[in-house]
Amino acid sequence: MDENLSSIESNKEKTKVKLMNVFKRKIMMIVVSLCCLTGCWDKVEINELAIGEMIGTDMDPETGAQTVYYQIVNPEAVTAQKGGGIKSPVYTYTIEAPSIGELGLKVANILPRKLFPDHYQSIIFTERYARQGLLPFINFYERQYNRRSDLYLLITDSPLTDMMMTYPPLDRLPGHALRALIENQSESSGTVSKKSRVKDLVENMESSILTVLPIVSLNGSKPLSTSDRYEQINANEGNFRLSGGAVFKQDRMIGKMKLKQMAYYLLLKGQSKVLFERLTVNGRNVDLQATQPKVHKRLYIISGVPVWKVDITTRLVIINNEQQNKLTTENLTRIQEAFNLKIEEKITEFYQNTIRNQWDLFGLEDKIKYQRGKKWEGVHQQKNSWNQTEIQISVKSKINDIGEIINPYKGVK
């Protein structure tokens, strides 16, 4: 019995010794690791940085001189509590330089802090800059080690000075407001795509595929650039709005499309999440929302002519119904058929307009180039055969949400 007890105590002592040795080794490893740390030798305080939030840029077509508006965040104003007084959330600095490479030198002459571009939200280009080509910007931007490929690019048809000197309501940071506007509108109306970033333009730089970037305009006759803007109730005046799309071939803007046309463009691209359409059924307006449309596309040839077949299926939600008729099965079928027909007509009209403008928005040139078979040999020998491609549209829809009431109220007669 005594021998067993002594054996147990001996094992306990050995275990303690092993644990102590393990503990000592861990401590030594931690000490050695700490000796290898360099500490915060290169730290930079936030009050030493000029945090960039948005850029507006223009180029003189004759001299090539650059004019850039840098919007720098004022952290004290952004984080200020109510009652602390209204301060400007951003400060706009205007820099002019003979070339894009010299802008950095000019910025250092006027900014008392180090420019920090990692938080840029959006970049606005003037229309005249876009029509000259964004290649100088793209080549310069892609060389920067701290570049952000998800930065939104926008084109403005309003005076750039007005755009950069305007405080939008609700969101105090203009660059973030534009970013949110693009993302919200892509979800709610389907007229703008989130694929409006630097990387989306760069991806199509070496191909025939066109890129469409949003056009932003300023509401009202003048910018609202004083901080009492936040005490005004009229939110439309002096506010940003997305007004259409700028069509780019490689780096150069070659045309415009209206905001409603953008909805059909994104639908054909398969990038649309929602589509709003107004119909006239039984002599009254019916507003519909198509949700999560599915698009199936294929290319084939008939009698030597390329044909692009597009099949669209979607579910419909009745947003507003001004009919006096009851929503019977027959009436619902009539609404669905009217929607299908209208979308087919609108898309065909839009597609024919892109062909007239020589806009290969859907990469048909590349698609035809890689088709194989004897039927395609004659098409391959033709120059610009893509713009001879005909389109066949098929739309199938089904109403799955009619709202809270089935039949309209008619009141007392």
Side-chain angles (χ1 to χ4, degrees):
M1 192 71 175
D2 292 338
E3 291 179 358
N4 290 337
L5 287 174
S6 61
S7 177
I8 292 172
E9 289 178 0
S10 176
N11 289 336
K12 286 184 179 179
E13 289 296 327
K14 291 179 180 179
T15 302
K16 286 182 181 180
V17 171
K18 288 181 180 178
L19 290 174
M20 288 297 296
N21 291 335
V22 170
F23 179 74
K24 289 179 180 179
R25 283 197 296 270
K26 288 184 177 180
I27 292 295
M28 288 298 296
M29 290 175 65
I30 292 173
V31 172
V32 171
S33 299
L34 289 175
C35 292
C36 296
L37 296 177
T38 56
C40 298
W41 59 271
D42 61 344
K43 70 180 179 67
V44 179
E45 299 291 344
I46 191 170
N47 58 5
E48 298 175 6
L49 298 175
I51 301 174
E53 204 266 338
M54 185 170 74
I55 296 178
T57 181
D58 186 23
M59 179 192 291
D60 189 309
E62 296 181 359
T63 64
Q66 304 270 331
T67 301
V68 177
Y69 297 81
Y70 292 91
Q71 284 198 339
I72 306 300
V73 177
N74 178 11
E76 293 181 1
V78 174
T79 59
Q81 299 294 321
K82 291 182 179 180
I86 298 176
K87 298 179 180 179
S88 176
V90 293
Y91 296 115
T92 300
Y93 292 85
T94 306
I95 309 294
E96 295 181 358
S99 69
I100 193 170
E102 294 185 44
L103 287 170
L105 301 176
K106 296 284 187 177
V107 169
N109 291 340
I110 193 171
L111 279 181
R113 300 180 180 182
K114 183 180 180 180
L115 181 63
F116 187 73
D118 296 38
H119 286 291
Y120 286 154
Q121 301 292 314
S122 313
I123 295 184
I124 301 178
F125 294 92
T126 60
E127 186 175 335
R128 72 171 185 175
Y129 192 161
R131 289 190 180 276
Q132 294 174 76
L134 302 184
L135 194 60
F137 161 77
I138 293 172
N139 285 333
F140 176 80
Y141 188 80
E142 286 294 291
R143 288 191 182 96
Q144 310 308 308
Y145 70 91
N146 57 350
R147 68 189 185 279
R148 289 178 53 197
S149 60
D150 64 341
L151 191 66
Y152 281 115
L153 303 180
L154 302 100
I155 311 302
T156 184
D157 53 7
S158 298
L160 184 59
T161 303
D162 293 350
M163 294 293 297
M164 301 303 296
M165 299 296 178
T166 293
Y167 292 136
L170 293 183
D171 198 325
R172 303 191 73 189
L173 299 177
H176 186 268
L178 285 175
R179 189 180 189 91
L181 193 61
I182 291 173
E183 295 175 352
N184 289 340
Q185 196 153 327
S186 70
E187 299 285 344
S188 62
S189 68
T191 53
V192 178
S193 173
K194 292 180 182 179
K195 292 189 175 182
S196 306
R197 304 156 296 184
V198 173
K199 65 179 180 181
D200 300 310
L201 183 62
V202 170
E203 282 176 2
N204 297 333
M205 283 289 295
E206 306 296 333
S207 73
S208 63
I209 301 175
L210 305 186
T211 310
V212 180
L213 300 179
I215 295 177
V216 61
S217 305
L218 186 66
N219 261 350
S221 57
K222 60 180 180 179
L224 297 179
S225 56
T226 57
S227 56
D228 59 2
R229 158 63 161 155
Y230 302 111
E231 297 180 345
Q232 298 184 16
I233 194 171
N234 187 353
N236 283 350
E237 184 71 19
N239 193 18
F240 301 140
R241 65 181 178 90
L242 298 176
S243 56
V247 181
F248 279 77
K249 185 173 183 178
Q250 296 174 345
D251 71 307
R252 192 178 301 272
M253 179 179 171
I254 59 173
K256 292 182 182 180
M257 65 174 69
K258 297 178 181 178
L259 200 60
K260 187 58 181 178
Q261 290 177 315
M262 290 279 288
Y264 303 127
Y265 161 70
L266 294 174
L267 182 62
L268 281 175
K269 289 283 286 185
Q271 297 176 6
S272 178
K273 295 183 178 180
V274 65
L275 176 71
F276 177 87
E277 198 66 48
R278 167 166 286 191
L279 311 173
T280 301
V281 182
N282 295 320
R284 296 298 183 96
N285 291 328
V286 179
D287 296 328
L288 299 172
Q289 187 181 64
T291 60
Q292 298 296 331
K294 294 180 174 57
V295 183
H296 181 259
K297 298 170 282 189
R298 62 184 183 275
L299 192 66
Y300 58 96
I301 192 166
I302 298 178
S303 301
V305 178
V307 177
W308 193 37
K309 185 73 169 66
V310 181
D311 297 318
I312 301 172
T313 58
T314 186
R315 296 189 175 188
L316 301 178
V317 178
I318 297 180
I319 303 298
N320 178 47
N321 181 20
E322 298 176 5
Q323 294 183 96
Q324 296 300 309
N325 303 52
K326 293 183 178 180
L327 281 178
T328 61
T329 302
E330 182 182 356
N331 193 5
L332 290 174
T333 301
R334 189 178 294 115
I335 293 173
Q336 291 170 180
E337 291 175 349
F339 173 84
N340 297 345
L341 180 60
K342 185 170 184 180
I343 296 302
E344 289 172 5
E345 291 175 347
K346 287 292 185 181
I347 288 181
T348 301
E349 179 185 350
F350 170 73
Y351 175 79
Q352 291 172 349
N353 184 58
T354 65
I355 294 296
R356 285 192 296 270
N357 289 328
Q358 299 291 310
W359 296 349
D360 185 15
L361 291 170
F362 309 105
L364 294 177
E365 184 177 356
D366 284 347
K367 287 182 173 67
I368 291 174
K369 186 187 300 182
Y370 293 108
Q371 295 295 319
R372 294 292 177 263
K374 291 183 178 180
K375 293 182 179 180
W376 290 95
E377 290 178 359
V379 177
H380 291 158
Q381 293 173 4
Q382 299 175 18
K383 186 177 181 181
N384 294 329
S385 58
W386 69 268
N387 59 15
Q388 304 298 320
T389 305
E390 297 179 357
I391 189 170
Q392 289 183 1
I393 298 290
S394 172
V395 180
K396 295 181 181 179
S397 62
K398 182 179 180 181
I399 296 173
N400 69 331
D401 190 341
I402 60 174
E404 291 297 319
I405 61 171
I406 298 176
N407 299 315
Y409 295 115
K410 296 184 179 180
V412 179
K413 295 184 179 179

